[in-house]
């Protein structure tokens, strides 16, 4: 036991990977939220040909004032068959460059019948992460955390820079999809690597440190976009800093846990000795460490063999698909497990849709989009940092419900605020953003504690897929439905958050409860105090931190 304790202390590198992860997470945020400034909604006007006429209509408002409106998607031309006019679709537009000098919207005419492509620009990134998570998880286990992280980082940011000069919009969409595929390779592999080399007692701090750069990156995204209004240069400037961490990746060590599991004991020993020097601690003898590493590898091999036998690798393709579906349907086997699965999938879908929707909804609130982005990142910080002490004292269930209810209430209220009261709009929107950020954090912890061990990873994967679907859905609400019905995004996201809170009422509280190991444990739960001692729940903490792989 002493040897294992010393090995853990030595392998914990006192958060030495955190600066690298900080830079990486900061650089990812602008690409995920790119639509706000790369493909924003801008005012446009149809430019008819020489023989065309602008479509203008006149009406009277309730106050008797004359109201003039222009249809900027069509123009009129003289009918070739005699008198009258024929309505034709506009093919040329002029754009209001007051706020943005150049955007994807203006360069590729993403208006009228092509307006849905702006929302697609954002959604297709999340569509890529939907498929990228399982692919990159497998690559990380096979090739190593460092290799996957380094190669993924190099390809990701090279493609991001190369997209600045692409002249075909559909090619840009393809690049966005590939960036989404690579997103988990950077975020997930780096996150796992950081936690695998961090001493257990520091993992909560590291978890918060790895969440905060997202908020900092969001703030920086708003600030840089304010200074650079041309989309090519903006994309280039926010991507170039990421290359500053490439030299650091060269000196980054592979995860000693991955090296041990894969039988590379010599490399693992070198990494552990290096960590021991940094942490000023003493390692057990080489013989003891070798025995310990062999025991860890043997345990992992036995687990892999059991999983391989359960996966039935000799099955045909059709049988494998059927087998995977049966494994997925395990989450719906019993009434309580079915309730947990349905409620958490619903919650993850709603919280992701609301979180990303509120991040991109500045245009529908008629507020300064740059200030909205900066303040939105700022209010996420308390949403992340205050979660740990709150859930440690008050539990998981009710703090999550309260965050959902507050968020839903203030976001719905935005739909009924008269135009012109910008300070109130900004205040309520930021309160809603802070609460939904906190709810997102708590939900990951709650999810890990509700699912039993035998299906925990399957449950996390299934609910994460639901969150990806929610994030794909939100841009169409903000940028496609919002311009037609300005109150629709606020009502949609507010109701979504409120319903998410209501749906959690049937779930049990997990504070102070023993983690369920089997499905039968959640049918007959037993109370057990495991959160009161510092080290009694290190496994729970490890699983929680590994679960917080947001995209």
């Amino acid at each position: 036991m002493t040897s294992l304790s010393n090995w853990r202390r030595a392998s914990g590198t006192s958060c030495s990977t955190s600066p690298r992860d900080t830079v990486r997470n900061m650089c990812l945020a602008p690409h995920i939220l790119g639509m706000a400034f790369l493909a924003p909604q801008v005012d446009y006007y149809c430019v008819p040909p020489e023989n065309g006429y602008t479509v203008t209509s006149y009406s009277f408002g309730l106050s008797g004032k004359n109201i003039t409106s222009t249809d900027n998607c069509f123009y009129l031309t003289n009918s070739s068959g005699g008198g009258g006019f024929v309505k034709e679709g506009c093919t040329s537009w002029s754009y209001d460059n007051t706020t943005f000098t150049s955007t994807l919207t203006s360069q590729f005419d993403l208006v009228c019948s092509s307006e849905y492509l702006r929302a697609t620009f954002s959604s297709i990134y999340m569509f890529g992460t939907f498929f990228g998570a399982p692919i990159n998880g497998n690559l990380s286990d096979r090739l190593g955390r460092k290799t996957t992280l380094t190669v993924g980082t190099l390809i990701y940011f090279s493609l991001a820079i190369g997209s600045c000069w692409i002249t075909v919009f559909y090619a840009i969409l393809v690049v966005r999809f590939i960036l989404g595929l690579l997103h988990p390779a950077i975020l997930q592999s780096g996150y796992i690597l950081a936690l695998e080399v961090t001493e257990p007692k520091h993992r909560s701090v590291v978890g918060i440190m790895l969440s905060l750069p997202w908020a900092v990156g969001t703030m920086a995204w708003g600030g840089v976009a304010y200074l650079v209004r041309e989309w090519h240069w903006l994309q280039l400037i926010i991507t170039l800093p990421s290359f500053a961490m490439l030299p650091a990746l060269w000196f980054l060590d592979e995860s000693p846990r991955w090296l041990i599991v894969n039988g590379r004991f010599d490399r693992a020993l070198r990494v552990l000795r290096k960590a021991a020097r940094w942490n000023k601690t003493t390692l057990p003898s080489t013989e003891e460490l070798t025995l310990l590493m062999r025991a860890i590898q043997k345990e992992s091999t036995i687990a892999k063999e059991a999983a391989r036998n359960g996966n039935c690798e000799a099955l045909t393709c059709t049988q494998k698909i059927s087998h995977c579906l049966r494994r997925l349907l395990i989450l719906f086997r019993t009434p309580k497990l079915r309730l947990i699965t349905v409620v958490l999938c619903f919650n993850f879908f709603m919280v992701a849709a609301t979180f990303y929707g509120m991040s991109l909804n500045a245009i529908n609130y008629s507020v300064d989009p740059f200030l909205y982005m900066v303040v939105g990142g700022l209010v996420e910080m308390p949403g992340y940092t205050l979660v740990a002490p709150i859930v440690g004292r008050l539990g998981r269930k009710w703090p999550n419900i309260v965050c959902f209810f507050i968020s839903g209430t203030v976001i719905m209220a935005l739909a009924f605020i008269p135009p012109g009261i910008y300070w109130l709009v900004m205040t309520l929107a930021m309160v809603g953003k802070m609460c939904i950020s906190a709810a997102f954090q708590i939900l990951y912890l709650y999810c890990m504690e509700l699912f039993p061990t035998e299906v925990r990873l399957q449950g996390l994967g299934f609910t994460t897929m639901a969150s990806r679907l929610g994030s794909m859905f939100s841009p169409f609400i903000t940028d496609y439905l919002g311009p037609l019905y300005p109150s629709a995004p606020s009502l949609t996201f507010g109701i979504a958050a409120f319903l998410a809170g209501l749906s959690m009422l049937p779930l049990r509280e997990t504070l102070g409860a023993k983690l369920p190991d089997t499905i039968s444990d959640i049918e007959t739960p037993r109370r057990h105090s495991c959160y009161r001692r510092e080290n009694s729940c290190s496994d729970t903490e490890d699983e929680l931190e590994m679960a917080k792989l947001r995209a």
Side-chain angles (χ1 to χ4, degrees), residues 194-212:
L195 293 176
E196 284 182 343
V197 298
T198 301
E199 192 174 352
K201 67 180 181 180
H202 294 309
R203 284 185 181 141
S204 294
V205 176
V206 173
I208 293 175
M209 289 178 65
L210 296 181
S211 297
L212 290 178

Side-chain angles (χ1 to χ4, degrees), residues 511-524:
L511 177 64
K514 182 181 181 296
L515 281 180
D517 292 318
T518 64
I519 294 175
S520 61
D521 288 344
I522 64 174
E523 301 297 328
T524 56

Side-chain angles (χ1 to χ4, degrees), residues 286-455:
T286 302
E287 291 76 15
E288 287 183 86
L289 279 176
T290 302
L291 289 174
L292 178 60
M293 289 189 292
R294 291 189 184 281
I296 293 173
Q297 185 195 26
K298 182 179 180 180
E299 182 180 350
S300 175
T301 302
I302 293 173
K304 287 180 179 179
E305 287 296 330
R308 187 177 294 113
N309 293 334
N311 287 336
C312 305
E313 291 187 344
L315 297 177
T316 65
C317 182
T318 303
Q319 290 172 326
K320 285 182 178 181
I321 294 174
S322 176
H323 179 68
C324 291
L325 289 175
R326 285 197 301 271
R327 286 174 59 85
L328 188 61
L329 291 175
I330 290 177
L331 297 173
F332 301 89
R333 179 188 296 173
T334 64
K336 288 188 177 180
L337 182 58
R338 186 162 52 246
L339 174 67
I340 291 171
T341 302
V342 171
V343 170
L344 288 180
C345 284
F346 179 78
N347 272 265
F348 269 94
F349 180 91
M350 294 300 187
V351 75
T354 304
F355 177 84
Y356 288 106
M358 291 303 294
S359 298
L360 300 171
N361 205 32
I363 190 66
N364 294 310
Y365 295 145
S366 299
V367 295
D368 186 323
F370 310 105
L371 180 63
Y372 184 90
M373 187 66 69
V374 171
V375 179
L378 181 63
V379 299
E380 286 182 37
M381 289 187 173
Y384 299 146
T385 56
L386 298 180
V387 163
I390 291 175
V391 299
R393 288 181 172 271
L394 303 179
R396 287 74 163 125
K397 176 180 177 179
W398 285 105
N400 214 355
I401 291 175
V402 170
C403 286
F404 274 128
F405 281 173
I406 295 175
S407 179
T409 301
V410 298
I411 293 174
M412 279 192 290
L414 289 167
F416 305 100
I417 296 178
I421 312 179
Y422 299 125
W423 67 269
L424 182 57
V425 170
M426 179 68 81
T427 300
L428 293 180
M430 292 302 104
V431 171
K433 179 77 181 296
M434 180 179 66
C435 291
I436 205 64
S437 300
F440 214 158
Q441 287 288 96
I442 299 172
L443 195 57
Y444 271 100
L445 169 60
Y446 201 25
C447 173
M448 291 300 296
E449 294 179 343
L450 283 171
F451 280 116
T453 303
E454 65 175 302
V455 295

Side-chain angles (χ1 to χ4, degrees), residues 80-117:
S80 59
F85 297 94
V86 177
K87 182 180 284 190
E88 300 283 350
C90 191
T91 57
S92 178
W93 293 268
S94 64
Y95 294 89
D96 183 357
N97 295 325
T98 303
T99 304
F100 302 98
T101 304
S102 172
T103 64
L104 289 167
T105 307
S106 58
Q107 179 172 335
F108 296 103
D109 293 328
L110 306 183
V111 295
C112 297
S113 62
S114 298
E115 191 164 6
Y116 73 95
L117 291 173

Side-chain angles (χ1 to χ4, degrees), residues 23 44 64 72 83 130 142 152 165 194 221 242 265 267 274 282 328 376 393 404 434 437 465 470 501 511:
V23 175
Y44 58 94
N72 290 306
F130 186 85
R142 288 178 177 271
W165 290 278
W221 179 223
S242 60
F265 298 153
R267 283 187 61 191
K274 180 180 178 181
T282 303
L328 188 61
R393 288 181 172 271
F404 274 128
M434 180 179 66
S437 300
M465 290 170 64
L511 177 64

